[in-house]
Amino acid sequence: MSATIRAMIQENVVSKDDLIYPLFVKPGQGEKERIATLPGVYRHTEDGILDEIGEAIGYGIRAFMLFPAVPEMQKDKYASYSFHPENFYLKVAAKIKEQFPDTCLISDVAMDPYSTDGHDGIVENGIILNDESLEILGKMALAQAQAGFDVIGPSDMMDGRVLHIRKVLDQHNFKTTGIMAYTAKYASAFYGPFRDALDSTPKWGDKKSYQMNPANRREAIIEAELDIEEGADYIMVKPALHYLDIIRDLRNNFQLPVVSYHVSGEYSMLMAAAEKGYVDLDLALHETLLAMKRAGSDLIITYFAKKYAKDLS
Ligand code: PBG
């Protein structure tokens, strides 16, 4: 079969518009900072992040997901810095939207980057307080909408958070601000490098009481039904590569856009193998993104977004 015919009958293509580029930002100006376990990904400064986004836009990336690397001194038990008016993350978001109004800017709602406990909700006596956490998550989401984020991304996995955030946004007239729900977020070993990036590793225990058991498949359908009922605009599967069956399940059962999060550990595995010469990075990356697309992803969040778009250009 000729290359032309192969191209004609190819079923899936990963386009630049399918990709969302996750970025880490820290307070201050100047040099970006390397992250040892996430080679090629950086903690950008408040000015540097504008350059990084500008460059990615130049290659055709238009959607960005922003995560804050919060200094230890700003953290507390209640993540109160997350909605503080002086929060650098909110200010950076406003600047990004001012300079690049056509981008789709997606936030992260969870307490862990701001929490001295490193958990996504309030912890008391070793237990996560779900309903009390919702209040904080609602304030955080509202502050982000006010800062100009187009889409709010609750990654915390508290029960009822999509409904609560939707209500808070609507009450304050942010009716067009979307919600990208981390729907099937598994308690995964592949988040390690991300937690290094934000210095957000839980101080004790793990996240198994609020993140999903990797052994469960049907539960993802239940989570999706709940998120959709509560008002989600996008449903997400995370991690992506190890959960292709879940992506396909959501694609087959629901009509909302399905987003896959190609997480930090999945990124670093590929980088490490390529560095050792075990695989060809370009070929392996192409095949990896294609696998997520073929499984049913409409959108893919990947630290490779800029590289992939650059290679296509
Ligand atoms: C936490 C959060 C995590 C990621 C995104 N949001 C880590 C965790 O749940 O501990 C992981 C993303 C990645 O590994 O790339 N709210």
Side-chain angles (χ1 to χ4, degrees):
M1 200 191 287
S2 75
T4 303
I5 294 174
R6 279 202 304 278
M8 286 164 66
I9 60 170
Q10 172 161 333
E11 297 174 30
N12 289 286
V13 180
V14 177
S15 87
K16 296 175 184 183
D17 282 331
D18 299 331
L19 301 180
I20 298 171
Y21 189 22
L23 293 166
F24 300 106
V25 62
K26 64 172 190 171
Q29 313 287 320
E31 283 298 296
K32 61 188 177 190
E33 193 182 344
R34 298 185 42 184
I35 302 160
T37 53
L38 211 45
V41 178
Y42 300 89
R43 290 185 200 95
H44 294 281
T45 54
E46 292 176 46
D47 55 334
I49 195 126
L50 296 169
D51 298 337
E52 180 67 12
I53 289 177
E55 196 187 325
I57 289 173
Y59 295 128
I61 296 293
R62 297 192 290 185
F64 300 88
M65 190 167 232
L66 201 59
F67 294 98
V70 179
E72 209 56 40
M73 54 179 285
Q74 308 279 21
K75 298 185 183 181
D76 64 21
K77 201 167 176 50
Y78 300 102
S80 47
Y81 183 66
S82 64
F83 49 87
H84 193 283
E86 291 301 306
N87 180 333
F88 77 94
Y89 175 73
L90 302 173
K91 288 190 184 168
V92 167
K95 249 185 240 160
I96 293 170
K97 286 303 295 184
E98 185 189 309
Q99 194 162 331
F100 306 109
D102 295 335
T103 54
C104 171
L105 191 61
I106 305 162
S107 76
D108 180 48
V109 171
M111 285 174 61
D112 57 336
Y114 308 94
S115 151
T116 37
D117 293 304
H119 276 283
D120 294 16
I122 303 174
V123 181
E124 215 140 273
N125 302 322
I127 288 177
I128 305 287
L129 303 182
N130 190 90
D131 295 1
E132 291 79 348
S133 303
L134 290 185
E135 198 137 324
I136 295 172
L137 299 169
K139 286 185 189 169
M140 199 184 305
L142 177 60
Q144 292 171 351
Q146 285 164 340
F149 278 100
D150 302 282
V151 177
I152 303 300
S155 71
D156 54 277
M157 295 306 277
M158 297 301 123
D159 290 335
R161 86 262 201 235
V162 173
L163 181 65
H164 182 71
I165 290 171
R166 186 70 268 161
K167 266 194 199 151
V168 171
L169 293 177
D170 288 351
Q171 273 162 8
H172 291 83
N173 238 336
F174 287 102
K175 298 202 166 133
T176 57
T177 305
I179 298 181
M180 183 178 287
Y182 287 59
T183 297
K185 178 174 178 182
Y186 286 88
S188 170
F190 293 97
Y191 304 152
F194 175 96
R195 293 176 187 172
D196 290 342
L198 298 191
D199 211 358
S200 65
T201 304
K203 295 293 178 336
W204 54 269
D206 52 43
K207 300 193 175 185
K208 289 182 184 163
S209 75
Y210 49 98
Q211 297 184 350
M212 285 175 58
N213 181 346
N216 291 359
R217 183 169 172 182
R218 294 191 308 261
E219 191 183 354
I221 305 274
I222 299 175
E223 291 288 349
E225 282 168 349
L226 288 170
D227 281 352
I228 293 169
E229 208 177 280
E230 290 183 25
D233 301 291
Y234 308 78
I235 47 178
M236 191 195 298
V237 176
K238 174 184 175 187
L241 204 49
H242 293 77
Y243 295 82
L244 296 176
D245 55 330
I246 310 299
I247 296 172
R248 172 49 57 188
D249 280 349
L250 295 198
R251 172 71 298 136
N252 285 352
N253 284 284
F254 304 99
Q255 306 309 321
L256 286 183
V258 173
V259 186
S260 306
Y261 198 143
H262 185 215
V263 300
S264 58
E266 294 177 324
Y267 167 93
S268 292
M269 273 170 57
L270 196 48
M271 289 296 280
E275 192 188 74
K276 285 197 167 243
Y278 295 167
V279 297
D280 177 294
L281 181 59
D282 291 344
L283 292 177
L285 172 59
H286 187 246
E287 190 174 332
T288 298
L289 297 180
L290 210 45
M292 298 176 207
K293 189 80 197 173
R294 192 188 62 238
S297 313
D298 296 289
L299 296 164
I300 300 169
I301 303 166
T302 178
Y303 301 95
F304 283 115
K306 187 178 84 173
K307 174 189 163 41
Y308 185 80
K310 185 178 174 185
D311 294 348
L312 280 188
S313 307

